[in-house]
Amino acid sequence: MKVYDKLFIGGEFVAPLGTQTIDVINASTEEIAGRAPEATVADIDRAVESARQAFDNGPWARSTPLERAELLQQLSKAIQARYQEFAEVISTETGCPVTSSIMTQVFSSTMVFDYYGGLVTEFPFEEQRKGVMGPVLVRREAVGVVGAIVPWNVPLFVSALKLAPALAAGCTVVLKPSPETALDAYLLAEVAQEIGIPAGVLNIVTAGREVSEHLVTHPGVDKISFTGSGAAGRHIAALCAQDLRRVTLELGGKSAAVVLEDADLDASLTHVVNNGLMNNGQACIAQTRILAPRSRYNEVVDALAAKVGALKVGSALDTATELGPLVADRQRERVLGYIEKGKAQGARVATGGGCPDDQDRGWFVSPTVFADVTNDMTIAQEEIFGPVLSVIQYDGPDDAVRIANDTTYGLSGAVYGADVEQATGIARRLRTGTVAVNNMSPMDFAAPFGGFKQSGLGRELGPEGLQAFLEYKTITLPNG
């Protein structure tokens, strides 16, 4: 068991001001995997003050884009050097299969740092324009101190989504990891210290949800970047609105994968399984509503159930595992509750529908496919955040678009079909932030990521993700 007794503030590991601790549980065994201090309100104050001083008075405030690019590249290399350790710790915390963690949890994170390390060297932080009444200088300046709050499902990757553009912009950061995944945050703190990150530029405090609210409302914080549930996002948005604090919210999803009549089922459903059950279904971009044409509905259900039913379920640290446990007992109970709602509302279990008989420890749920689902059912409308797919029948492309858009969310999606032009045309009609056409992932690190409707506010990744951490300043210059 790994025990940490300090917080990372001002570039150093310092003793917390309280005595409470957080136990991190191994999702596969239900045993304590590690322990970390639970920060107090006073600890948050210390972290924000450290970030404030670094931004207002430290060398980071005067750093050049090239210097910031070098730091991002060093972070990436330092994480890569310990990739196996990061992957195993995250798999222990979250239940993500370790073979998947190496890419989706760790190397995807370093790719984000690398992307912004390159972008920052060519981004136009200052440009002169010909104004209506004379020349103007338009500057893009760092927003200031950022409070970054990350969830438990992909903790390092979401940290990178916030840290990389914030640091590229010249901001300083107070990072607040989820209590369920406090351990990997310490590995991040260690590599940050190893590369000599300037004092106060990155501060990491492990805290519960009540103390975290103090970070959101702290007068020394200029912007909040949050990833998590819709309920928490709405609360954070309301708190930020009181002080007109800048805020980016990446929230939930209930995304649809549209399988067209001419789709290659074997290839398409391989993508459907990967996109729907990634990270054991614990992914905001998971496409869990599978829209199938009436003419091929039974064929889709049978083929999908066969693929999902054949998945190897087991310990997250077993390299043969394809689907691991959920992050916590409460999450397992939540998912099982949705499965029972699906049965009660008339959906048919094509495979799964409970807990695996061969797992006596760990928070496992059998990967489940529901057939005979209508889009008004609870399992088709609410985010389950577990390994549950619902197959919904449609009549023609227009009906598929209608059903796909009939949701309060709009984060992700996919369209599969042999006619790429037709599939792309349908993708254009979906009211969602990212759509994959015959592709494994709807995300590209050089393009904006975020949601329509209740899936969030603002964008991460791409140049747009950098702009989210910048303020615009106009300086009017004299003529002549």
Side-chain angles (χ1 to χ4, degrees):
M1 182 175 75
K2 186 68 174 179
V3 177
Y4 296 97
D5 60 0
K6 292 181 172 61
L7 303 169
F8 187 66
I9 298 175
E12 301 290 340
F13 287 96
V14 300
L17 297 177
T19 59
Q20 297 298 310
T21 58
I22 297 168
D23 286 342
V24 178
I25 309 301
N26 184 322
S28 297
T29 67
E30 303 179 42
E31 298 172 348
I32 297 177
R35 182 170 292 139
E38 182 173 356
T40 65
V41 166
D43 291 314
I44 296 291
D45 288 339
R46 284 199 298 170
V48 172
E49 176 60 22
S50 175
R52 187 82 260 166
Q53 286 297 320
F55 182 77
D56 291 340
N57 305 311
W60 191 249
R62 299 182 297 276
S63 62
T64 67
L66 284 176
E67 289 171 334
R68 299 197 292 272
E70 183 179 357
L71 182 90
L72 292 172
Q73 290 159 1
Q74 288 177 334
L75 263 177
S76 174
K77 291 177 182 176
I79 293 170
Q80 290 178 49
R82 299 175 66 176
Y83 79 91
Q84 189 70 37
E85 186 179 7
F86 269 100
E88 290 178 0
V89 168
I90 294 172
S91 291
T92 298
E93 297 170 317
T94 67
C96 181
V98 68
T99 51
S100 175
S101 280
I102 290 171
M103 183 63 217
T104 62
Q105 301 277 4
V106 183
F107 285 129
S108 61
S109 306
T110 63
M111 290 168 68
V112 173
F113 283 115
D114 289 338
Y115 168 73
Y116 281 105
L119 178 66
V120 71
T121 63
E122 58 189 37
F123 188 81
F125 285 97
E126 184 174 290
E127 61 177 305
Q128 187 166 326
R129 299 179 187 174
K130 181 180 179 182
V132 174
M133 295 177 287
V136 294
L137 193 65
V138 177
R139 287 178 52 81
R140 298 164 178 85
E141 299 181 355
V143 70
V145 174
V146 174
I149 303 174
V150 303
W152 46 258
N153 60 328
V154 275
L156 181 63
F157 178 64
V158 176
S159 294
L161 293 186
K162 302 178 188 313
L163 280 176
L167 297 180
C171 297
T172 58
V173 181
V174 177
L175 180 71
K176 206 294 294 182
S178 172
E180 289 85 358
T181 51
L183 303 183
D184 67 277
Y186 277 89
L187 298 184
L188 178 60
E190 289 171 6
V191 300
Q193 189 180 54
E194 286 169 11
I195 68 169
I197 195 166
V201 171
L202 171 61
N203 307 273
I204 302 178
V205 288
T206 48
R209 287 161 181 82
E210 291 182 6
V211 173
S212 301
E213 188 166 312
H214 184 59
L215 176 62
V216 174
T217 59
H218 200 291
V221 173
D222 300 295
K223 178 184 171 70
I224 293 293
S225 181
F226 170 80
T227 298
S229 71
R234 284 188 288 272
H235 182 58
I236 288 172
L239 292 174
C240 289
Q242 295 174 15
D243 296 312
L244 295 180
R245 184 167 290 111
R246 277 71 175 139
V247 62
T248 296
L249 303 173
E250 197 280 288
L251 308 177
K254 192 65 182 179
S255 303
V258 180
V259 179
L260 297 178
E261 200 160 14
D262 64 350
D264 177 335
L265 274 198
D266 185 59
S268 299
L269 294 184
T270 296
H271 289 318
V272 165
V273 172
N274 289 333
N275 286 337
L277 300 182
M278 66 175 72
N279 199 22
N280 312 327
Q282 299 174 134
C284 57
I285 62 172
Q287 295 148 21
T288 56
R289 292 185 298 146
I290 317 306
L291 277 53
R294 181 180 297 275
S295 62
R296 304 187 71 181
Y297 184 78
N298 291 334
E299 185 183 1
V300 169
V301 169
D302 292 345
L304 183 60
K307 284 182 177 290
V308 170
L311 292 174
K312 168 66 175 175
V313 178
S315 168
L317 295 180
D318 185 343
T319 56
T321 292
E322 295 173 288
L323 191 135
L326 301 183
V327 73
D329 184 51
R330 72 172 193 283
Q331 189 66 18
R332 177 176 60 180
E333 292 306 308
R334 168 187 167 90
V335 173
L336 291 174
Y338 274 109
I339 289 174
E340 292 308 309
K341 286 180 183 178
K343 295 175 183 177
Q345 292 179 357
R348 171 172 59 88
V349 175
T351 191
C355 296
D357 295 330
D358 60 345
Q359 301 296 332
D360 56 359
R361 292 187 305 168
W363 297 304
F364 291 91
V365 172
S366 299
T368 298
V369 174
F370 274 111
D372 303 334
V373 178
T374 56
N375 203 52
D376 59 349
M377 291 181 179
T378 301
I379 58 172
Q381 286 295 315
E382 297 184 11
E383 185 177 40
I384 297 173
F385 228 61
V388 181
L389 305 179
S390 298
V391 189
I392 302 170
Q393 187 170 259
Y394 70 84
D395 294 300
D398 289 344
D399 193 38
V401 170
R402 178 191 64 80
I403 294 171
N405 290 338
D406 182 19
T407 172
T408 59
Y409 296 105
L411 186 59
S412 177
V415 184
Y416 301 100
D419 186 336
V420 174
E421 185 175 348
Q422 180 196 31
T424 304
I426 290 174
R428 290 190 178 101
R429 297 171 62 188
L430 300 185
R431 296 284 297 165
T432 190
T434 56
V435 188
V437 174
N438 294 338
N439 205 326
M440 167 59 188
S441 174
M443 296 178 68
D444 188 291
F445 301 153
F449 169 71
F452 289 24
K453 298 183 275 188
Q454 293 186 25
S455 285
L457 297 172
R459 292 294 184 269
E460 296 180 312
L461 290 174
E464 294 80 3
L466 176 58
Q467 291 164 4
F469 292 94
L470 297 171
E471 295 278 23
Y472 284 81
K473 176 188 288 182
T474 297
I475 302 173
T476 60
L477 301 174
N479 282 301

